[in-house]
C-alpha cells in the first residue's frame, strides 16, 4: 500500500535532496549536514531536543549549514496521526523556538500568495502575521499544495504562530528567485 512505501520513498528522496543541497552549496564553498527530526524529537524527549540543539550549534560553529527535515522514513505513524499537518513547516517553528531564533525562512516552489489565484499580477508582496487568521488563510490559499504536504496555507499558519513568539517569517521562491 501507499503507507507501506512511504518510508522507502522518503529515504530515497532524502538522499536525492541532500545531493542537490551539496551541489548547490558547494558553489559557495559551503558544506551541509542533513539532520532528520520528528515532532516528538523536538517536543517530547528532552534528551533528543538537547542532542538536536548541540548538533545544530556544532554545525553552525564549524561553518556547516544544517539542512533539517521531517524524518518521514521513521515517522509514518506520527505523520498519519497528525494528518500531515505538523510536517516541516511546523517543525521549523518548533526548532526556531528551541534555538530562540528571530527569523524563519521558508523556500517554496511558488511565487507567493495571490489575492486572486487566477491573476498573476495580484501577488501579495507583504502580509502582517497578526492578520493571518484561519478564515483569511483559507480564503487566500484554499488548502494544501498539490506538490507538497502543507502548502502555502501551512506556511502562513506557522507565520501567525511565529509572530506570537516574536519570530518573523519570510517566504520566498527557492527555485526562481535566486535564493
Amino acid at each position: 500500500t501507499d503507507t507501506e512505501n512511504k518510508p522507502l520513498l522518503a529515504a530515497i528522496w532524502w538522499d536525492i535532496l541532500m545531493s542537490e543541497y551539496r551541489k548547490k552549496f558547494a558553489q559557495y564553498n559551503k558544506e551541509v549536514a542533513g539532520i532528520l527530526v520528528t515532532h516528538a524529537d523536538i517536543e517530547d524527549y528532552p534528551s533528543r531536543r538537547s542532542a538536536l540543539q548541540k548538533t545544530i550549534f556544532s554545525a553552525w560553529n564549524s561553518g556547516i549549514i544544517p539542512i533539517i527535515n521531517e524524518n518521514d522514513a521513521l515517522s509514518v505513524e506520527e505523520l498519519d496521526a497528525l494528518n500531515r499537518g505538523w510536517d516541516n513547516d511546523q517543525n521549523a517553528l518548533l526548532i526556531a523556538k528551541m534555538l530562540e531564533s528571530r527569523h524563519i525562512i521558508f523556500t517554496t516552489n511558488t511565487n507567493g500568495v495571490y489575492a486572486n489565484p487566477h491573476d498573476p499580477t495580484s501577488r501579495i508582496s507583504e502580509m502582517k502575521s497578526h492578520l493571518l487568521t484561519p478564515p483569511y488563510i483559507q480564503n487566500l490559499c484554499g488548502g494544501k499544495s498539490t506538490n507538497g504536504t502543507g502548502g502555502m496555507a501551512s506556511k502562513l499558519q506557522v507565520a501567525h504562530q511565529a509572530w506570537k513568539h516574536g519570530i518573523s517569517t519570510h517566504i520566498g521562491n527557492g527555485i526562481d528567485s535566486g535564493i
Side-chain angles (χ1 to χ4, degrees), residues 79-98:
L79 297 174
D80 286 343
L82 294 169
N83 201 20
R84 293 296 292 182
W86 289 66
D87 59 303
N88 286 308
D89 298 336
Q90 186 65 36
N91 278 346
L93 174 60
L94 296 174
I95 291 167
K97 288 170 32 183
M98 177 184 74

Side-chain angles (χ1 to χ4, degrees), residues 17-169:
L17 180 66
M18 285 307 300
S19 177
E20 290 300 312
Y21 274 122
R22 282 187 196 91
K23 288 178 197 173
K24 292 290 184 185
F25 281 98
Q27 295 172 6
Y28 303 98
N29 296 315
K30 293 289 184 184
E31 291 185 52
V32 297
I35 302 171
L36 294 170
V37 300
T38 65
H39 177 81
D41 292 331
I42 303 166
E43 286 285 282
D44 300 337
Y45 299 103
S47 63
R48 289 186 193 174
R49 184 174 45 252
S50 177
L52 177 59
Q53 287 173 312
K54 288 177 185 173
T55 301
I56 292 169
F57 285 129
S58 178
W60 275 117
N61 292 336
S62 300
I64 298 170
I65 299 169
I67 306 295
I68 305 167
N69 200 69
E70 174 75 41
N71 192 349
D72 296 335
L74 296 180
S75 60
V76 173
E77 292 83 11
E78 176 181 282
L79 297 174
D80 286 343
L82 294 169
N83 201 20
R84 293 296 292 182
W86 289 66
D87 59 303
N88 286 308
D89 298 336
Q90 186 65 36
N91 278 346
L93 174 60
L94 296 174
I95 291 167
K97 288 170 32 183
M98 177 184 74
L99 299 177
E100 299 180 6
S101 299
R102 291 181 288 158
H103 305 279
I104 296 174
I105 301 172
F106 287 118
T107 56
T108 182
N109 63 347
T110 66
N111 288 321
V113 179
Y114 298 87
N116 176 352
H118 305 292
D119 179 4
T121 65
S122 69
R123 187 173 72 84
I124 301 170
S125 61
E126 185 176 332
M127 292 184 192
K128 301 296 180 190
S129 295
H130 67 280
L131 300 176
L132 295 174
T133 63
Y136 183 71
I137 293 170
Q138 180 64 29
N139 185 49
L140 280 177
C141 301
K144 290 186 173 189
S145 162
T146 56
N147 296 321
T149 54
M152 192 60 72
S154 175
K155 288 166 183 49
L156 295 177
Q157 290 165 356
V158 166
H160 182 71
Q161 294 171 23
W163 166 77
K164 292 178 180 179
H165 295 279
I167 302 169
S168 64
T169 304

